[in-house]
Amino acid sequence: MIKDGLEDSVGTESVAAGPPSYINRKDDYLRRLRRIEGQARGLQRMVQEEQYCIDILTQVSAMTRALQAVSLGLLEEHLSHCVVDAAARGGAEAQEKVREASAAIARLVRA
Amino acid sequence: MIKDGLEDSVGTESVAAGPPSYINRKDDYLRRLRRIEGQARGLQRMVQEEQYCIDILTQVSAMTRALQAVSLGLLEEHLSHCVVDAAARGGAEAQEKVREASAAIARLVRA
Amino acid sequence: MIKDGLEDSVGTESVAAGPPSYINRKDDYLRRLRRIEGQARGLQRMVQEEQYCIDILTQVSAMTRALQAVSLGLLEEHLSHCVVDAAARGGAEAQEKVREASAAIARLVRA
Amino acid sequence: MIKDGLEDSVGTESVAAGPPSYINRKDDYLRRLRRIEGQARGLQRMVQEEQYCIDILTQVSAMTRALQAVSLGLLEEHLSHCVVDAAARGGAEAQEKVREASAAIARLVRA
């Protein structure tokens, strides 16, 4: 099911525990995502006004880089909190978290 | 100056001529960009609700792929119209268009 | 069939005509590819000597960037010669060349 | 200084400890890197024989994907051993390892 532009995360098999690692910087992430939303609206206006393709491509690249920066930030916090905490607790959970994070990294690299 | 999330395209040195090449599929691009805008809003809701980092990263990857598909589509139409038309007209303009398109491709590849 | 590390290009449906566009810079490309071959050998030595993973990853990133630079150079010359020449000749060939180049660009972006 | 195609890793600030995490799969990595070296040689032969640009680009994309797979494998083992072990030992070292791994991930994503 798709709702509000979000794909179902069926298959992600989250092994979450505790609060998300980005919680201390929640406002920062919300601000960056609002700016990215604004970039998506700006792109629609450029297409609506029939602006030059290459200028539109330049904006798409800027927006892609902004999204990548969000990903890399979230990932670092995830490793720093969720993965490190699971490892400190010991047991099989840490390896499961590493597998899950590695799959997310592969999706980012191959996006 | 930044307006509506758009960076100034100062320095892009557009060598545009005639209508943009995506004009026949304008509605399709607008629809795809609206969906991408929805994905940006969905991500804000996920962060607001403190959902699991890995699930957020999965959505960011999906959104990045959607943006890439828009880029690749616009680029193909640009080559197919602007670059081919300039080449058919002859003269130095075609080489200028190729340089401009190649710079855009490099930005996409290295985004 | 795989020979010397090369995959068969079945399915590429080359629409080649005339000499390749990189012919004037052949020596430059050969030099860059020899350096990349040296990087692949250097990586084997690092693994053989059991050097630190992160240092190996740094070299892999440098090698990937060198490969990307080769791709982007070849692509620009291809657009500048093969595609522009086909467009100048007119007919359906130019559009076929654009489709082929766009598929190559998509493979680079999603590599 | 550059030697055998390797850039100096000055600035990587390795925080290594113990044997590298890929040690159990050393032969597998050596085999994959030898194949990649073969791809680099195959590309030189293609350029030497003046083969079609698009076919060369296809091989470059295949080689880039092979390199990415090596990176992602090494990175997962690094997280699974070095980072998890540092976290299990406790102290500041784990956070230093996470920062180091995150910088390597950013280089891969933006390569």
Side-chain angles (χ1 to χ4, degrees):
Chain A
M1 199 196 69
I2 290 173
K3 205 179 66 181
D4 283 335
L6 287 185
E7 294 178 14
D8 248 8
S9 38
V10 167
T12 315
E13 290 157 45
S14 315
V15 281
S21 51
Y22 54 82
I23 204 159
N24 293 321
R25 296 182 52 208
K26 203 169 146 173
D27 286 345
D28 177 42
Y29 283 111
L30 287 173
R31 194 164 32 239
R32 290 157 78 176
L33 289 168
R34 262 195 305 273
R35 190 177 191 287
I36 288 168
E37 185 194 337
Q39 289 177 302
R41 258 198 307 276
L43 280 167
Q44 289 167 67
R45 202 185 53 242
M46 290 181 91
V47 169
Q48 189 64 60
E49 296 174 354
E50 298 175 15
Q51 291 191 30
Y52 189 47
C53 329
I54 295 290
D55 293 335
I56 298 180
L57 287 173
T58 302
Q59 297 300 332
V60 174
S61 293
M63 190 175 158
T64 305
R65 271 193 305 278
L67 266 175
Q68 268 181 354
V70 166
S71 305
L72 293 170
L74 284 170
L75 189 67
E76 178 161 5
E77 293 190 82
H78 180 68
L79 294 175
S80 169
H81 292 91
C82 306
V83 176
V84 164
D85 290 356
R89 279 192 298 273
E93 192 202 348
Q95 294 307 327
E96 210 176 331
K97 289 274 185 195
V98 164
R99 251 194 313 278
E100 187 188 57
S102 298
I105 294 165
R107 281 192 296 271
L108 286 182
V109 170
R110 293 177 177 143
Chain B
M1 198 195 69
I2 290 173
K3 205 179 67 181
D4 283 337
L6 286 184
E7 294 177 15
D8 248 9
S9 39
V10 165
T12 315
E13 290 157 44
S14 314
V15 282
S21 52
Y22 55 83
I23 203 159
N24 293 322
R25 298 181 51 209
K26 202 169 146 173
D27 286 346
D28 177 42
Y29 283 110
L30 287 173
R31 193 165 32 240
R32 290 157 79 177
L33 289 168
R34 263 195 304 273
R35 190 176 189 288
I36 288 168
E37 186 194 337
Q39 289 177 302
R41 259 196 307 277
L43 281 167
Q44 290 167 67
R45 202 185 51 245
M46 291 181 89
V47 169
Q48 190 63 62
E49 295 174 356
E50 298 176 13
Q51 292 190 30
Y52 188 47
C53 329
I54 295 290
D55 293 336
I56 298 180
L57 287 173
T58 301
Q59 297 301 332
V60 173
S61 293
M63 190 175 158
T64 305
R65 271 194 305 278
L67 266 175
Q68 269 182 354
V70 166
S71 303
L72 292 170
L74 285 170
L75 189 65
E76 177 160 6
E77 293 191 82
H78 180 68
L79 294 175
S80 168
H81 293 92
C82 306
V83 176
V84 164
D85 290 355
R89 280 192 298 272
E93 192 202 348
Q95 294 307 328
E96 211 176 330
K97 289 274 186 197
V98 164
R99 251 193 313 277
E100 187 189 56
S102 298
I105 295 166
R107 282 191 296 271
L108 285 182
V109 169
R110 292 176 177 145
Chain C
M1 200 194 69
I2 289 173
K3 205 179 66 180
D4 283 337
L6 287 184
E7 293 178 15
D8 247 9
S9 39
V10 165
T12 315
E13 290 157 44
S14 314
V15 283
S21 51
Y22 54 83
I23 203 159
N24 294 321
R25 296 181 52 209
K26 202 169 146 173
D27 285 346
D28 177 41
Y29 283 111
L30 287 173
R31 193 164 32 240
R32 290 157 79 175
L33 289 168
R34 263 195 305 272
R35 189 177 190 287
I36 288 168
E37 185 194 337
Q39 289 177 302
R41 259 198 306 277
L43 281 167
Q44 289 168 66
R45 202 185 52 243
M46 291 181 89
V47 170
Q48 189 63 61
E49 295 174 355
E50 298 176 13
Q51 292 190 30
Y52 188 48
C53 329
I54 295 289
D55 293 334
I56 298 180
L57 287 172
T58 301
Q59 297 301 332
V60 174
S61 293
M63 190 175 159
T64 305
R65 271 193 306 277
L67 266 175
Q68 268 181 355
V70 166
S71 303
L72 293 170
L74 284 170
L75 189 66
E76 177 160 6
E77 293 190 81
H78 180 68
L79 294 175
S80 169
H81 293 92
C82 305
V83 176
V84 164
D85 291 354
R89 280 191 298 273
E93 192 202 347
Q95 294 307 326
E96 211 176 329
K97 290 274 185 197
V98 164
R99 251 193 312 278
E100 187 188 56
S102 298
I105 295 166
R107 282 192 297 270
L108 286 182
V109 170
R110 292 176 177 144
Chain D
M1 198 196 69
I2 289 173
K3 206 179 67 182
D4 283 336
L6 286 186
E7 294 177 16
D8 248 7
S9 39
V10 166
T12 316
E13 290 156 45
S14 315
V15 282
S21 52
Y22 55 81
I23 203 159
N24 293 320
R25 296 181 53 207
K26 202 170 146 173
D27 286 346
D28 177 41
Y29 284 111
L30 287 173
R31 194 164 33 240
R32 289 157 80 175
L33 288 169
R34 264 195 304 273
R35 189 177 191 287
I36 288 168
E37 186 194 336
Q39 289 176 302
R41 260 198 306 277
L43 281 167
Q44 290 168 65
R45 202 184 52 242
M46 291 181 91
V47 169
Q48 189 64 61
E49 295 174 354
E50 298 176 12
Q51 291 190 30
Y52 188 48
C53 330
I54 295 290
D55 293 335
I56 297 179
L57 287 172
T58 302
Q59 297 301 332
V60 174
S61 293
M63 190 176 159
T64 305
R65 272 193 305 278
L67 266 175
Q68 269 182 355
V70 165
S71 305
L72 292 170
L74 285 170
L75 189 66
E76 178 160 5
E77 293 190 81
H78 180 68
L79 294 175
S80 169
H81 293 93
C82 307
V83 176
V84 164
D85 290 356
R89 279 192 298 273
E93 191 202 348
Q95 294 308 326
E96 210 176 330
K97 290 273 185 198
V98 164
R99 251 193 314 276
E100 187 188 58
S102 298
I105 295 166
R107 281 191 297 271
L108 286 182
V109 169
R110 292 176 177 144

